[in-house]
């Protein structure tokens, strides 16, 4: 089985002609299914972009959302819309609201949006603030201590979902693919060939998910997990354990691309 993986495609940065060309390229790719790792557009546009992708591809489109996909609305409302969208549009599957997806006899797929949960690095000392904290309803206008609590909660929510679904995936399949937007380790948070420092790491990695993955995979040395993430717009590979590898996809605004095709058996 061949999978085409996209991350941080930001289709709202393309004019109509370039977007049409990119969608046509997705339809022509030699893959059985598409994995879309978030930052597809913004909340007012993400529904339409996902519809266009599903129509262009005509095959299963498994996706999670990134932080930009919630801009100019609320996280909860946007996720509710994704549930309704997947009920009405063939081929769309929002992994944050799904359990285990068997891809082959040996490989299962799970996923969640994830979130930069403020636990890696030094959140309270960091001078960094993101547009997330201006453009997402649940994160707007908060003092630092309250913002950190909200980010912690979002990371815990991602970890809680994966804690429910991953044991079943590991029980039934020797190999698991995990699609998420935010790197679950600071060691997988790449920027220009280096990993993020303690100022940026709180916003670009999800420790709650990382801790869960290390715990689960340490208990299952007979299983192997590959994590596919993005968010940093820089590519890299991090081998966390012998049976736990994280690939971070690169991206540039205005020039979306398909990551190297993934073969699963």
């Amino acid at each position: 089985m061949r999978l085409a993986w996209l991350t941080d495609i930001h289709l709202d940065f393309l004019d109509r002609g370039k977007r049409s060309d990119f969608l046509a390229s997705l339809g022509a790719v030699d893959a059985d299914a598409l994995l879309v790792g978030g930052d597809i557009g913004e909340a007012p546009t993400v529904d339409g972009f996902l519809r266009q992708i599903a129509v262009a591809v005509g095959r299963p489109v498994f996706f999670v959302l990134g932080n930009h996909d919630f801009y100019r609305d609320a996280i909860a409302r946007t996720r509710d819309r994704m549930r309704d969208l997947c009920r009405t549009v063939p081929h769309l599957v929002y992994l944050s609201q799904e359990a285990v997806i068997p891809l082959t006899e040996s490989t299962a797929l799970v996923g969640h949006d994830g979130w930069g949960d403020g636990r890696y690095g030094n959140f309270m000392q960091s001078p960094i603030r993101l547009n997330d904290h201006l453009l997402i309803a649940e994160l707007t206008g908060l003092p630092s201590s309250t913002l950190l609590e909200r980010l912690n909660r979002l990371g815990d929510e991602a970890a809680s979902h994966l804690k429910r679904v991953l044991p079943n995936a590991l029980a039934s399949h020797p190999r698991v693919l995990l699609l998420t937007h935010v790197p679950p380790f600071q060691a997988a948070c790449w920027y220009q060939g280096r990993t993020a420092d303690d100022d940026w790491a709180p916003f670009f990695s999800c420790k709650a998910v990382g801790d869960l993955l290390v715990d689960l995979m340490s208990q299952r040395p007979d299983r192997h997990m590959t994590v596919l993430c993005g968010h940093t717009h820089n590519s890299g590979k991090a081998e966390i354990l012998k049976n736990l590898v994280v690939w971070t996809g690169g991206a540039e605004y205005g020039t979306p691309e398909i990551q190297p095709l993934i073969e699963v058996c």
Side-chain angles (χ1 to χ4, degrees), residues 120 183-190 194-196 201 204-205 236-240 246 248:
Y120 285 115
F185 303 96
Q186 188 168 349
C189 186
W190 296 99
R194 298 182 180 181
T195 54
F204 281 83
S205 45
K237 176 186 177 184
E239 185 173 326
I240 307 301
V246 182
T248 307

mmCIF file of all heavy atoms in Angstrom, residues 120 183-190 194-196 201 204-205 236-240 246 248:
data_model
loop_
_atom_site.group_PDB
_atom_site.id
_atom_site.type_symbol
_atom_site.label_atom_id
_atom_site.label_comp_id
_atom_site.label_asym_id
_atom_site.label_seq_id
_atom_site.Cartn_x
_atom_site.Cartn_y
_atom_site.Cartn_z
ATOM 1 N N TYR A 120 7.698 21.318 27.226
ATOM 2 C CA TYR A 120 9.123 21.301 26.901
ATOM 3 C C TYR A 120 9.661 22.730 26.979
ATOM 4 O O TYR A 120 8.935 23.706 26.803
ATOM 5 C CB TYR A 120 9.353 20.756 25.494
ATOM 6 C CG TYR A 120 9.206 19.262 25.337
ATOM 7 C CD1 TYR A 120 8.188 18.739 24.537
ATOM 8 C CD2 TYR A 120 10.086 18.378 25.955
ATOM 9 C CE1 TYR A 120 8.063 17.365 24.364
ATOM 10 C CE2 TYR A 120 9.964 17.008 25.788
ATOM 11 C CZ TYR A 120 8.945 16.503 24.995
ATOM 12 O OH TYR A 120 8.807 15.151 24.826
ATOM 13 N N PRO A 183 5.105 17.995 16.680
ATOM 14 C CA PRO A 183 6.083 16.999 17.098
ATOM 15 C C PRO A 183 5.898 16.624 18.574
ATOM 16 O O PRO A 183 5.747 17.509 19.426
ATOM 17 C CB PRO A 183 7.429 17.706 16.885
ATOM 18 C CG PRO A 183 7.166 18.702 15.802
ATOM 19 C CD PRO A 183 5.757 19.168 16.043
ATOM 20 N N PRO A 184 5.912 15.335 18.889
ATOM 21 C CA PRO A 184 5.710 14.928 20.274
ATOM 22 C C PRO A 184 6.985 14.930 21.120
ATOM 23 O O PRO A 184 6.927 14.540 22.285
ATOM 24 C CB PRO A 184 5.146 13.511 20.137
ATOM 25 C CG PRO A 184 5.650 13.018 18.834
ATOM 26 C CD PRO A 184 5.819 14.214 17.951
ATOM 27 N N PHE A 185 8.085 15.375 20.541
ATOM 28 C CA PHE A 185 9.355 15.448 21.265
ATOM 29 C C PHE A 185 10.104 16.706 20.840
ATOM 30 O O PHE A 185 10.073 17.089 19.670
ATOM 31 C CB PHE A 185 10.231 14.217 20.974
ATOM 32 C CG PHE A 185 9.572 12.915 21.309
ATOM 33 C CD1 PHE A 185 8.925 12.178 20.324
ATOM 34 C CD2 PHE A 185 9.578 12.428 22.607
ATOM 35 C CE1 PHE A 185 8.305 10.988 20.623
ATOM 36 C CE2 PHE A 185 8.960 11.234 22.920
ATOM 37 C CZ PHE A 185 8.315 10.504 21.930
ATOM 38 N N GLN A 186 10.815 17.311 21.780
ATOM 39 C CA GLN A 186 11.669 18.438 21.417
ATOM 40 C C GLN A 186 12.738 17.984 20.436
ATOM 41 O O GLN A 186 13.152 18.743 19.550
ATOM 42 C CB GLN A 186 12.305 19.052 22.673
ATOM 43 C CG GLN A 186 13.071 20.346 22.422
ATOM 44 C CD GLN A 186 13.443 21.073 23.700
ATOM 45 O OE1 GLN A 186 12.976 20.737 24.783
ATOM 46 N NE2 GLN A 186 14.301 22.076 23.591
ATOM 47 N N ALA A 187 13.169 16.733 20.554
ATOM 48 C CA ALA A 187 14.184 16.182 19.652
ATOM 49 C C ALA A 187 13.686 16.032 18.228
ATOM 50 O O ALA A 187 14.488 15.823 17.309
ATOM 51 C CB ALA A 187 14.663 14.826 20.182
ATOM 52 N N ALA A 188 12.379 16.122 18.014
ATOM 53 C CA ALA A 188 11.807 16.031 16.663
ATOM 54 C C ALA A 188 11.329 17.381 16.158
ATOM 55 O O ALA A 188 10.707 17.459 15.105
ATOM 56 C CB ALA A 188 10.649 15.038 16.660
ATOM 57 N N CYS A 189 11.635 18.431 16.904
ATOM 58 C CA CYS A 189 11.188 19.781 16.572
ATOM 59 C C CYS A 189 12.331 20.494 15.850
ATOM 60 O O CYS A 189 13.135 21.199 16.459
ATOM 61 C CB CYS A 189 10.795 20.493 17.863
ATOM 62 S SG CYS A 189 10.078 22.105 17.636
ATOM 63 N N TRP A 190 12.394 20.289 14.522
ATOM 64 C CA TRP A 190 13.543 20.721 13.733
ATOM 65 C C TRP A 190 13.392 22.134 13.202
ATOM 66 O O TRP A 190 12.309 22.544 12.795
ATOM 67 C CB TRP A 190 13.754 19.766 12.550
ATOM 68 C CG TRP A 190 14.110 18.389 12.968
ATOM 69 C CD1 TRP A 190 13.263 17.319 13.055
ATOM 70 C CD2 TRP A 190 15.399 17.924 13.381
ATOM 71 N NE1 TRP A 190 13.950 16.215 13.490
ATOM 72 C CE2 TRP A 190 15.261 16.555 13.705
ATOM 73 C CE3 TRP A 190 16.644 18.530 13.520
ATOM 74 C CZ2 TRP A 190 16.326 15.787 14.140
ATOM 75 C CZ3 TRP A 190 17.713 17.768 13.960
ATOM 76 C CH2 TRP A 190 17.552 16.413 14.263
ATOM 77 N N ARG A 194 18.711 22.002 13.263
ATOM 78 C CA ARG A 194 18.853 21.852 14.713
ATOM 79 C C ARG A 194 17.467 21.697 15.336
ATOM 80 O O ARG A 194 16.466 22.056 14.731
ATOM 81 C CB ARG A 194 19.544 23.084 15.318
ATOM 82 C CG ARG A 194 20.957 23.321 14.795
ATOM 83 C CD ARG A 194 21.569 24.525 15.498
ATOM 84 N NE ARG A 194 22.932 24.774 15.025
ATOM 85 C CZ ARG A 194 23.706 25.740 15.486
ATOM 86 N NH1 ARG A 194 23.245 26.558 16.439
ATOM 87 N NH2 ARG A 194 24.922 25.896 15.009
ATOM 88 N N THR A 195 17.442 21.188 16.555
ATOM 89 C CA THR A 195 16.172 21.094 17.259
ATOM 90 C C THR A 195 15.902 22.390 18.016
ATOM 91 O O THR A 195 16.817 23.161 18.313
ATOM 92 C CB THR A 195 16.155 19.905 18.221
ATOM 93 O OG1 THR A 195 17.284 19.972 19.095
ATOM 94 C CG2 THR A 195 16.214 18.601 17.446
ATOM 95 N N ALA A 196 14.633 22.628 18.299
ATOM 96 C CA ALA A 196 14.195 23.890 18.879
ATOM 97 C C ALA A 196 14.839 24.142 20.238
ATOM 98 O O ALA A 196 15.039 23.223 21.037
ATOM 99 C CB ALA A 196 12.678 23.893 19.016
ATOM 100 N N ALA A 201 10.506 25.602 21.968
ATOM 101 C CA ALA A 201 10.000 24.249 22.216
ATOM 102 C C ALA A 201 8.634 24.212 22.895
ATOM 103 O O ALA A 201 7.826 23.322 22.599
ATOM 104 C CB ALA A 201 11.018 23.455 23.034
ATOM 105 N N PHE A 204 6.084 24.299 20.054
ATOM 106 C CA PHE A 204 6.286 23.479 18.856
ATOM 107 C C PHE A 204 6.500 22.004 19.169
ATOM 108 O O PHE A 204 6.978 21.263 18.317
ATOM 109 C CB PHE A 204 7.461 24.037 18.039
ATOM 110 C CG PHE A 204 7.092 25.241 17.223
ATOM 111 C CD1 PHE A 204 7.086 26.497 17.796
ATOM 112 C CD2 PHE A 204 6.703 25.122 15.902
ATOM 113 C CE1 PHE A 204 6.721 27.610 17.067
ATOM 114 C CE2 PHE A 204 6.334 26.228 15.160
ATOM 115 C CZ PHE A 204 6.344 27.481 15.747
ATOM 116 N N SER A 205 6.135 21.579 20.365
ATOM 117 C CA SER A 205 6.239 20.163 20.704
ATOM 118 C C SER A 205 5.225 19.836 21.795
ATOM 119 O O SER A 205 4.830 20.706 22.574
ATOM 120 C CB SER A 205 7.665 19.798 21.151
ATOM 121 O OG SER A 205 8.173 20.760 22.052
ATOM 122 N N GLY A 236 13.205 16.538 9.373
ATOM 123 C CA GLY A 236 14.221 15.824 10.141
ATOM 124 C C GLY A 236 13.686 14.499 10.638
ATOM 125 O O GLY A 236 12.485 14.224 10.561
ATOM 126 N N LYS A 237 14.586 13.682 11.128
ATOM 127 C CA LYS A 237 14.249 12.374 11.676
ATOM 128 C C LYS A 237 14.815 12.271 13.082
ATOM 129 O O LYS A 237 15.954 12.656 13.325
ATOM 130 C CB LYS A 237 14.827 11.256 10.799
ATOM 131 C CG LYS A 237 14.614 9.847 11.341
ATOM 132 C CD LYS A 237 15.350 8.820 10.489
ATOM 133 C CE LYS A 237 15.197 7.410 11.057
ATOM 134 N NZ LYS A 237 15.985 6.413 10.277
ATOM 135 N N ALA A 238 14.016 11.759 14.006
ATOM 136 C CA ALA A 238 14.462 11.544 15.381
ATOM 137 C C ALA A 238 14.152 10.109 15.779
ATOM 138 O O ALA A 238 12.984 9.701 15.744
ATOM 139 C CB ALA A 238 13.793 12.518 16.335
ATOM 140 N N GLU A 239 15.182 9.349 16.129
ATOM 141 C CA GLU A 239 14.982 7.992 16.632
ATOM 142 C C GLU A 239 14.931 8.070 18.144
ATOM 143 O O GLU A 239 15.951 8.214 18.816
ATOM 144 C CB GLU A 239 16.099 7.060 16.172
ATOM 145 C CG GLU A 239 15.847 5.612 16.571
ATOM 146 C CD GLU A 239 16.868 4.643 15.981
ATOM 147 O OE1 GLU A 239 17.324 4.902 14.849
ATOM 148 O OE2 GLU A 239 17.191 3.651 16.648
ATOM 149 N N ILE A 240 13.731 7.994 18.692
ATOM 150 C CA ILE A 240 13.522 8.164 20.129
ATOM 151 C C ILE A 240 13.844 6.872 20.866
ATOM 152 O O ILE A 240 14.515 6.877 21.905
ATOM 153 C CB ILE A 240 12.083 8.600 20.413
ATOM 154 C CG1 ILE A 240 11.717 9.838 19.583
ATOM 155 C CG2 ILE A 240 11.893 8.863 21.896
ATOM 156 C CD1 ILE A 240 12.588 11.046 19.818
ATOM 157 N N VAL A 246 10.405 9.276 14.661
ATOM 158 C CA VAL A 246 9.578 10.426 14.306
ATOM 159 C C VAL A 246 10.158 11.110 13.072
ATOM 160 O O VAL A 246 11.332 11.503 13.058
ATOM 161 C CB VAL A 246 9.507 11.450 15.460
ATOM 162 C CG1 VAL A 246 8.602 12.617 15.075
ATOM 163 C CG2 VAL A 246 9.030 10.789 16.745
ATOM 164 N N THR A 248 9.621 14.419 10.766
ATOM 165 C CA THR A 248 9.021 15.753 10.711
ATOM 166 C C THR A 248 9.126 16.256 9.270
ATOM 167 O O THR A 248 10.212 16.287 8.699
ATOM 168 C CB THR A 248 9.749 16.717 11.667
ATOM 169 O OG1 THR A 248 9.800 16.137 12.970
ATOM 170 C CG2 THR A 248 9.024 18.061 11.738
#
